[in-house]
Amino acid sequence: MNNSVLIALTLTASIALSPVSIGGTAQGSTQAIKMSSFNLSSQKWQNRVLLVFAPSVNNRTYQQQMQLFNQHQNGFTDRDLVLVQVLATDKSYANGQLIDESSAANLRNGFGVDKENFRVILVGKDSGVKRSDTIPVQATAIFEQIDAMPMRQQEMQQRGRK
């Protein structure tokens, strides 16, 4: 297995523990991997969604992006952030759960991202696009933007009281 696949698998497996586990497949399960559908409307008001579009796991820009995210796994969970990897020639995943090709195609079409392009898109809990990048972006920059959002400010206050 090459390094890019290992990086992607490590990140998706570790992020699978974040607030919503798409499809309900438990990590470490001996069951066959279940493919699920994924749509943004199911995430509205529950989670923020970070979409990473790329041609394949072998795409250099995608590999750089995943390395940047791999260093900040706890930040994803803390911010109710679902990572969705939409790959044109490889399997696509939402928080480590395999998603079907039609879901990946719908996301690609919905955001107007061609199969050969790289893009990172942050979608807020209100389903609005908060940022879109065509080059790798530091996880900390995404976290800072989320942390400045009024809804996130409320979440931090509420979680601080518990």
Side-chain angles (χ1 to χ4, degrees):
M1 209 177 274
N2 66 29
N3 285 343
S4 62
V5 173
L6 287 173
I7 291 167
L9 289 175
T10 301
L11 181 61
T12 55
S14 60
I15 294 192
L17 298 175
S18 73
V20 169
S21 178
I22 311 298
T25 302
Q27 189 174 10
S29 172
T30 56
Q31 297 175 345
I33 295 176
K34 211 164 66 170
M35 195 175 296
S36 299
S37 62
F38 179 86
N39 64 61
L40 288 176
S41 62
S42 68
Q43 303 299 310
K44 191 170 185 175
W45 305 120
Q46 302 298 314
N47 294 297
R48 295 170 184 90
V49 178
L50 188 61
L51 299 152
V52 179
F53 294 94
S56 75
V57 294
N58 295 321
N59 178 269
R60 186 168 181 236
T61 309
Y62 171 77
Q63 292 174 5
Q64 291 170 343
Q65 184 63 76
M66 298 316 292
Q67 285 176 337
L68 292 171
F69 289 165
N70 197 33
Q71 302 165 13
H72 299 280
Q73 297 160 8
N74 291 337
F76 280 78
T77 303
D78 190 42
R79 290 168 181 82
D80 301 331
L81 192 56
V82 173
L83 177 64
V84 180
Q85 297 153 282
V86 184
L87 304 170
T89 60
D90 296 301
K91 303 290 185 204
S92 296
Y93 294 88
N95 271 5
Q97 174 70 40
L98 190 62
I99 61 173
D100 60 34
E101 290 181 26
S102 65
S103 295
N106 288 340
L107 289 167
R108 221 174 245 298
N109 293 336
F111 289 97
V113 180
D114 293 331
K115 288 184 173 185
E116 59 274 355
N117 290 340
F118 172 84
R119 181 94 36 93
V120 177
I121 298 175
L122 174 63
V123 178
K125 286 188 174 183
D126 63 356
S127 295
V129 173
K130 304 305 179 187
R131 78 177 293 148
S132 178
D133 297 278
T134 57
I135 58 172
V137 59
Q138 293 283 341
T140 52
I142 293 169
F143 295 164
E144 287 171 7
Q145 185 171 356
I146 291 171
D147 291 347
M149 295 175 183
M151 189 177 295
R152 172 68 177 151
Q153 294 285 318
Q154 290 176 335
E155 292 168 2
M156 289 189 294
Q157 287 177 347
Q158 290 170 351
R159 290 175 187 175
R161 290 185 193 136
K162 290 183 180 178

